Amino acid sequence: MYLHTTLFIASVVTVTALQPLPPIYWSYDKNSSRFSMQDAPKTIYILDSFADRRDSEGLTLIPPSAYEFAQVFIDDLNQITSTNWTLETVSSAPTAGIILGPFRDTFPLVHEGGSPTEEGYELEISNSSVYIGGSGARGMFWGTRTVLQKMLISNTTSLAPGYTIDAPAYPTRGYMLDAGRKWYSPSFLKELCTYASFFKMNEFHYHTSDNYPLNRGRNSTWNAIYHQFSLHPETPSLHGLINRANETLSRADFSALESHCALRGVTIIPEIEAPGHSLAITKWKPELALPKKDLLNLSHPDAIPTVKAIWTDFLPWFHTKEVHIGADEYDPLLADDYINFVNTMSDFIHSTSGKRIRIWGTHEPSPTNLSISKDVIIQHWQYGQSDPIALQAQNYSFINSEDWWSYMSLKNDHTPIFPATYPQFFNTTRTLNFANVRNWQWEPSVFNPVNLTEQLKPGASGNKGAILAAWNDNGPDATTQLEAYYAMREGLPVAGSRMWSGTRGVMLDPLTVEESVMFLTARAPGQYLDRRGAFEARDGEGVVLEWKTGQEGVIGEGSYGPPYTLSLSVTGTFTLRGRDATLSLSPTPSNGTEPSSGLSLVFTTDDNIPYPLRSVSALDGQDPGHPGRIWTNLTTSPHIPVAINIPATVRIETDVVNGSRVWVNDSFAGRFEVFVYGGRNTLFSWSQMAFVAPLESVEGGVEKLVLEDGVGRKGVGEYEGPSSVASTIERRILLELAELFVLILWLV
């Protein structure tokens, strides 16, 4: 009786309004009716006095005009409303419609620390008009994000009247993606910029070069270890940096990426890593390596000139006021060499291009009292490497990327490396309950999860803001490109909201945060990362596609993202092609270590990495602390490729956490997975792979194909699924409501 009543109370409590992300203060106008999107003129009006406004205070050197931002707004409106909106420049604001212009008050909009910002805006909605006024062009653009979110939440039909003034607490609100150990295509990077900007994030820290850890397995010699340099130098003498030319961005590619992101309010901060994580350099010039081969020998006379030559080639590409030189995890016994390198590169890059540099916080105790220049921005990532309190006291500029809250290690953590193990998905619980303290929502002044009182004051002068980080320490085959998006999908709106709000803005509502995140992430315009936009939206599970022999092709968009169930009636070998992956059934030749297993089912990604279906127990992969991981020293599964006899019915059930799991003739057969080398070669594991369904075309022995939205049926012992953003919060709410109800009964 108590449980049923408690669940009823919980259902009543949680039926509340969705929040825009970041949330806003909203002063309702009770004397006005709602603004009707259907009845409004389908023209956006921008004041000509503001249309040419370009920001000067941000980091980009290619700031779009307010008019260009307005054109992006038009594109998004057209997508969301399926209506043809137009843009018109006017000399004065009309009495009806959606109007874009300047912030109309005289007081300045400022960050939490008091510095002025061009990213603030006002939004006023009446029954006849919507006015979005920016303190800068970007401020106006962020105001359009709020309008779009409010439109989506209200089903695009009408907007509640009222008023808000909104501005970010911090100027740096970003995300980092490790493209030095995994190739990401320009199209993916553009979509990710678009997605992040919908939640008012404004920096993309692009980690362009790195290498697989030397202390892991996979290669017997250092010069065979995977490395990546993601930019293709124009100077022929630097082409030795490149290992796979087809996995690099040309200058034109990078310029297009920069421009695309800038039009969404996002500045790319490129990082070229040195003097650590530098196999791209030392494999090209082995004489420059220290005994730990991915460290440059900075005492070698050619080491710094080589790094300068690399930057000389690329600095003209980078239309930003700040760049990142890495400077991460060098040898602390060579502190003076390190500090001299950082200061030399700071002076060189500034004198060459006028740019300021960033580095990762690194513990380098100088024996001669040398110190890093105050012109250098420190990106704090771990205590023991840097201390934010000390950085503030010493008048440094710094960024909060404290690994406890900000880091992901895509697909698998560093266990048993301590002090931090990094989740495979961004840990939103650490944002909503910092340091495991209930309802203490993280924001950029909060760094220390151990000494809870040792935090910075909000808006501290040195604190530029925060950047979350997605690392590919496990190498190029551990994830697909889209799995990187799945890892960050919830983190970008949740952490981005707290970066924007700081301590002065609206906190996330724990009762609606999960629903708000899931609702808005599925509808963010201008991108297709969920790979579900080609299909009619469905609220529940159901058949979205059926195909039978004799029909041409399958579907034009070519992909369908998880969760889904794909059922195939198979009579022979086949190939199912899509935008992001290929699924095939074909003879598997022996590779020298695994014997031929007859016909194997294989997913091959768009970067040509094959993943055969492997035999696992249905009960394996349910590590409660890390769903999807199977320890090799504990598993009962053989992990050998599965032989499939035909004819057969094959069912693939895919969700982000459990990956792609397969039933053959209604019996569980295995899953698609990857072998991951553990930290320092002491623990090893198999981890799940989650593939999108390839639906562009079918060749060969498939008689019938059925695609269902959602996972059709749970496998034996299957983990029910992550944790979405607030699952732990919901469980806590139920428990607390149960306790409250018992207390009420006792009092009565």
Side-chain angles (χ1 to χ4, degrees), residues 412-413 424 619-631 634 657 719:
N412 232 320
D413 60 27
Q424 61 178 327
L619 299 176
D620 264 344
Q622 314 307 324
D623 183 337
H626 205 303
R629 177 168 60 188
I630 303 176
W631 293 112
L634 299 176
V657 173
Y719 181 80

Side-chain angles (χ1 to χ4, degrees), residues 111-173:
H111 297 121
E112 194 155 20
S115 59
T117 175
E118 295 171 316
E119 295 187 272
Y121 66 94
E122 64 172 311
L123 172 59
E124 184 177 29
I125 301 175
S126 70
N127 62 346
S128 61
S129 67
V130 173
Y131 184 82
I132 307 169
S135 59
R138 283 173 301 152
M140 182 209 74
F141 181 70
W142 298 136
T144 69
R145 305 302 89 185
T146 300
V147 169
L148 291 174
Q149 291 191 23
K150 289 175 73 67
M151 286 174 57
L152 288 167
I153 289 170
S154 65
N155 200 27
T156 73
T157 57
S158 64
L159 297 174
Y163 185 75
T164 191
I165 295 177
D166 195 18
Y170 292 88
T172 290
R173 308 178 308 279

Side-chain angles (χ1 to χ4, degrees), residues 412-428:
N412 232 320
D413 60 27
H414 284 187
T415 301
I417 295 177
F418 295 105
T421 55
Y422 303 139
Q424 61 178 327
F425 300 97
F426 184 84
N427 192 329
T428 55

